[in-house]
Amino acid sequence: MDLIECLKDLYQGSSDRVCITDENMHIIWKNSSDLPGYIEPLFFLDGRRQYLQLPMRHEGIYSYKFDEITQCVKIKPLMEGNEIIGYLLNFFNADELCLMSDRSDIKRHRIKANSVISNNTAMILHSLEIAQRNIDLGNEFDFGKLDRDIRKYILKLLASKANYYELGKYNSGDIISDQKNVSYQMALLCDRFEKCLKNTNIFFTKDIEPEVYMDINVDRLWAAVANLLTNAVMYNENDNIKVALRLYTKGQTVVISVKDNAGGIDEDVLKRSLTPFTMHRPVDDHESLGLAVVKKHCEYYGGRLEADIEKGVSTEFKMIYHYDRSRVPDRLSMSEMFPYLSNYDQAGSIFAKAFDLTGNE
């Protein structure tokens, strides 16, 4: 029995809704009447809104719109030797995807995130109601405290969704990168981090090699490194917390490292933290997604994330990327304008997990 006949037997009567097509995506067989009558390859879009190109030698996940409804489709090429003989298309509607996610830890994360949003929105409304009541009664009122409180609640709202947004960017592939002076960008981020450390006993050092250039997206880089810096503080129970950031080149690599004195992350916790939504503790405001975001960043740019662990002493996370020393920086295409910085951007929202930024705007 050939491959296509085997697949027909496998999916006949299955709750999975599938189409089998030939190499040009003409439908050979389908197991559900609510699937399209024909397939238009140009209607498939990936996360970057790019059209599907045939032939397709690797499986992928696309959106496909028919009957005014957009569905998720997993496409797998069917091979005989090195020849593509067709494709297996597995369709998922929104209800099916929600049902599958509800059978995983995503549900717990979603419930917690919604709870954070609801609670902090309620606190904003409560603060405004108290202010209005005092104004109506002619009482003296500390509007400075009201301003700080509302900023704090807004930052908590943003913090609750920050890493969900980051994961979504990598999963969609909707990231625009261009050549940047990474040394300059890391110096800016370190300045922001140092502002967070005012009135704390946290000792922070930085060692940034000058004039290191890479193709990056600044917001994604800042968010990834902000996660490492925030984790170095948030999960550190030392009375005297020490954090060190380094940017340096070594051979054909560029390394961004963050080292703490938190005593060394547990290997099992590290392994599970690198996979999104895999829990190693009850879900809290921190979501346990930060390291997964860092790993996604490294992989997206063809690099890797390594952890040097000295038990009882420290953990050093290293974001390692290929570095082309022969490439001349295109200074004419790079903006040297000082960027607009805000506590309410992605990096600021991640820092807000560990710090009160209401006085640092």
Side-chain angles (χ1 to χ4, degrees):
M1 185 180 293
D2 65 19
L3 176 59
I4 289 178
E5 291 302 318
C6 287
L7 289 172
K8 288 181 181 179
D9 286 347
L10 178 64
Y11 286 105
Q12 183 68 48
S14 170
S15 60
D16 291 345
R17 298 179 301 119
V18 303
C19 288
I20 299 174
T21 75
D22 64 14
E23 68 275 16
N24 296 311
M25 283 211 174
H26 300 139
I27 294 178
I28 297 173
W29 178 86
K30 60 180 183 177
N31 70 347
S32 176
S33 61
D34 66 353
L35 293 176
Y38 68 94
I39 297 294
E40 174 52 68
L42 290 178
F43 287 3
F44 287 105
L45 295 174
D46 65 13
R48 298 186 183 186
R49 311 298 292 174
Q50 300 295 311
Y51 297 112
L52 172 67
Q53 299 290 326
L54 294 179
M56 176 183 172
R57 303 194 70 86
H58 303 284
E59 67 178 58
I61 298 177
Y62 294 81
S63 65
Y64 187 79
K65 186 173 183 177
F66 67 95
D67 289 341
E68 301 304 316
I69 298 175
T70 300
Q71 299 201 25
C72 173
V73 186
K74 185 174 183 179
I75 306 175
K76 184 173 184 177
L78 304 176
M79 311 288 293
E80 283 188 354
N82 290 323
E83 181 183 357
I84 297 174
I85 62 170
Y87 298 94
L88 176 67
L89 282 59
N90 200 332
F91 287 77
F92 303 93
N93 60 35
D95 186 56
E96 290 168 327
L97 292 171
C98 285
L99 179 62
M100 286 189 285
S101 70
D102 278 349
R103 299 297 185 267
S104 72
D105 274 323
I106 294 177
K107 180 179 180 179
R108 298 172 61 198
H109 276 269
R110 187 168 63 241
I111 290 172
K112 182 59 182 181
N114 288 337
S115 175
V116 171
I117 291 170
S118 298
N119 291 342
N120 284 284
T121 302
M123 291 303 297
I124 291 172
L125 294 173
H126 179 65
S127 298
L128 292 172
E129 288 169 357
I130 291 176
Q132 186 63 56
R133 191 178 305 130
N134 279 276
I135 292 172
D136 292 343
L137 294 173
N139 297 335
E140 291 187 5
F141 187 75
D142 186 350
F143 285 96
K145 182 178 184 302
L146 173 67
D147 176 74
R148 290 190 299 273
D149 286 346
I150 289 180
R151 286 171 179 264
K152 178 179 67 177
Y153 298 136
I154 290 173
L155 282 165
K156 286 186 176 182
L157 286 171
L158 296 175
S160 72
K161 62 84 182 171
N163 281 330
Y164 291 92
Y165 179 85
E166 290 301 312
L167 289 175
K169 297 295 284 187
Y170 293 112
N171 289 337
S172 70
D174 183 21
I175 299 174
I176 299 174
S177 305
D178 51 18
Q179 194 179 41
K180 294 293 183 183
N181 185 334
V182 180
S183 306
Y184 173 68
Q185 299 300 333
M186 284 298 94
L188 289 178
L189 186 68
C190 287
D191 288 345
R192 298 183 66 181
F193 186 61
E194 288 172 329
K195 289 182 180 179
C196 296
L197 304 182
K198 287 182 178 179
N199 303 316
T200 72
N201 63 345
I202 299 169
F203 181 68
F204 174 63
T205 60
K206 60 181 183 285
D207 182 6
I208 299 174
E209 181 177 325
E211 302 298 312
V212 176
Y213 293 85
M214 289 174 56
D215 283 337
I216 59 166
N217 177 286
V218 172
D219 290 329
R220 304 289 76 75
L221 178 66
W222 277 359
V225 179
N227 268 301
L228 291 181
L229 293 170
T230 301
N231 285 355
V233 172
M234 197 164 60
Y235 299 116
N236 194 330
E237 297 179 356
N238 274 308
D239 292 333
N240 296 300
I241 295 174
K242 296 180 180 179
V243 181
L245 179 143
R246 293 181 64 203
L247 167 66
Y248 60 94
T249 58
K250 183 177 181 181
Q252 296 300 309
T253 61
V254 57
V255 181
I256 301 172
S257 80
V258 173
K259 185 176 183 178
D260 61 51
N261 65 336
I265 188 171
D266 183 81
E267 291 278 4
D268 183 56
V269 170
L270 172 61
K271 181 179 179 180
R272 285 185 283 171
S273 296
L274 294 174
T275 302
F277 309 111
T278 301
M279 305 309 303
H280 62 268
R281 63 179 68 197
V283 184
D284 56 20
D285 290 353
H286 316 315
E287 311 138 22
S288 303
L289 296 176
L291 286 179
V293 167
V294 179
K295 182 171 180 281
K296 288 277 190 181
H297 186 277
C298 294
E299 292 175 345
Y300 186 85
Y301 287 100
R304 66 188 187 276
L305 177 64
E306 294 184 356
D308 291 342
I309 303 169
E310 189 175 353
K311 289 303 295 181
V313 181
S314 65
T315 302
E316 182 177 10
F317 285 101
K318 297 180 179 179
M319 303 166 65
I320 304 173
Y321 308 90
H322 174 71
Y323 186 50
D324 185 359
R325 292 181 177 274
S326 65
R327 184 176 179 188
V328 178
D330 184 4
R331 297 178 184 275
L332 293 178
S333 69
M334 289 187 295
S335 171
E336 295 298 332
M337 294 177 61
F338 195 84
Y340 173 73
L341 303 179
S342 169
N343 288 337
Y344 302 93
D345 67 0
Q346 284 295 100
S349 297
I350 292 166
F351 283 148
K353 297 173 185 293
F355 302 101
D356 179 1
L357 305 183
T358 56
N360 296 329
E361 182 64 62

